[in-house]
Amino acid sequence: MSRWSIFVTAKMPDYVERDIAAAFDATFNTTGEKLTQEQVLKGLEGKDALFGGVGVKMDAAFMDKLPSSVKALGTYSVGFDHVDIAAAKAKGMPVFNTPDVLTDTVAECAMLLTLGVARRVTESVALMADWKGWTPLQLNGMEVAGKTMGIFGFGRIGRAIADRARAFKMNIAYSDMNKFSPDLEQGAIYYKDPAELMAHCDILILACNSTPETRGFLNRERLAKMRPTAIVVNIARGDIVNDDALIEALSQNKIMGAGLDVFNNEPNFDPRYKTLPNAFILPHIGSSTVEARRRMGQILIEGLLAFKDGKPARNRLA
Ligand code: NAP
């Protein structure tokens, strides 16, 4: 069977490009330029599949305009809030993503954010520019041992964060659509109502999908339930957070701090975060390790090849 020709929308690491080139006749994005929807549609003319697409909004209009040659779409991410899955299904357009293979990497980043806020890393790094020496008063942070981590969205990444937090002697609580089985809970306490979770935890981790129900979840009313010593970590998507509400809580010390990897309107995130000493902010590097990036490429290649060969794929969304 002939090889598929694919259009790769984003510049990939060279080791991923090599894997792609071994499996497909690929047209790469060599400049790293962020492509518009129109440029992507043009690039897809005569191609069998799209590879990439994290920055490309694949809405119903996009699905309607896809060239007839296109047989599948692959997004180089586990999150698929930028893809209209219902529209893809209606069109009979298969969509593939990258579940599981980035879970450990993202969970490690969640711990980095948690510890970064608890140990006041933003202030510590700033202090090193003019450090006068050790004092007992200097930057007293919060020990996480014995504290309760509350995880909103107890899926693959949420549970992997819990595994790491247990090793740091934290207690685990969670809120999700449904209560999980004991083997997955591993002693974690379930709160059906997320507001209850927020009232009972010291560290709130946002690890849910971005959906119409979760967008704007962290609002003023819910933040008001939190302890003044609490930490918020967002490893999920920026739109889960209402920026005005979180920035108000941070600037008025209504909570201890926030660790944020993702933002509304990336990369043009709210600049007020840059001025807050209790915000520890990262540029959406949650899944950015060499190991995860390579595996993300591999699982997407596997999914597209399986579909091409008429076989089932574990990472098919639509
Ligand atoms: P997952 O296994 O699907 O976990 C998400 C969990 O959130 C599921 O248990 C889901 O429940 C739950 N959830 C969805 N809507 C909810 C709601 N309204 N209330 C409570 N719980 C809700 O996905 P994952 O692999 O862990 O990834 C989670 C998210 O992390 C992704 O969607 C992505 O946006 C984000 N992410 C970020 C980075 C980064 O670079 N920062 C990297 C990877 C992933 P159901 O299964 O019942 O819907």
Side-chain angles (χ1 to χ4, degrees), residues 101-153:
V101 295
L102 42 60
T103 297
D104 285 334
T105 276
V106 180
E108 288 173 9
C109 189
M111 294 310 293
L112 168 69
L113 290 166
T114 300
L115 296 172
V117 180
R119 301 307 297 271
R120 302 176 60 178
V121 163
T122 301
E123 292 163 276
S124 295
V125 170
L127 185 63
M128 291 308 284
D130 184 28
W131 186 36
K132 300 281 192 282
W134 188 93
T135 83
L137 290 176
Q138 188 178 283
L139 292 168
N140 297 164
M142 180 180 89
E143 184 174 274
V144 297
K147 302 296 191 302
T148 297
M149 176 179 274
I151 301 175
F152 180 65

Side-chain angles (χ1 to χ4, degrees), residues 78 106 155-157 176-177 208-209 214 235-237 261 284 286:
V78 69
V106 180
R156 291 172 292 242
I157 292 172
D176 201 297
M177 311 283 270
C208 58
N209 318 110
T214 61
I235 193 70
R237 282 288 180 264
D261 181 51
H284 201 150

Side-chain angles (χ1 to χ4, degrees), residues 44-116:
L44 280 169
E45 278 169 18
K47 302 289 188 291
D48 296 296
L50 172 149
F51 190 111
V54 187
V56 181
K57 200 167 172 53
M58 294 189 250
D59 52 15
F62 177 85
M63 302 290 170
D64 278 342
K65 290 187 224 155
L66 280 172
S68 57
S69 60
V70 177
K71 302 172 188 68
L73 304 172
T75 180
Y76 191 69
S77 62
V78 69
F80 49 89
D81 41 301
H82 55 297
V83 186
D84 188 331
I85 297 294
K89 280 186 179 159
K91 280 260 154 204
M93 179 59 62
V95 179
F96 299 85
N97 71 339
T98 67
D100 298 314
V101 295
L102 42 60
T103 297
D104 285 334
T105 276
V106 180
E108 288 173 9
C109 189
M111 294 310 293
L112 168 69
L113 290 166
T114 300
L115 296 172

Side-chain angles (χ1 to χ4, degrees), residues 3 23 46 61 93 115 153 158 185 206 262 264 270 317:
R3 278 156 64 98
M93 179 59 62
L115 296 172
E185 281 186 333
L206 303 174
V262 284
N264 281 298
D270 194 315
L317 291 167

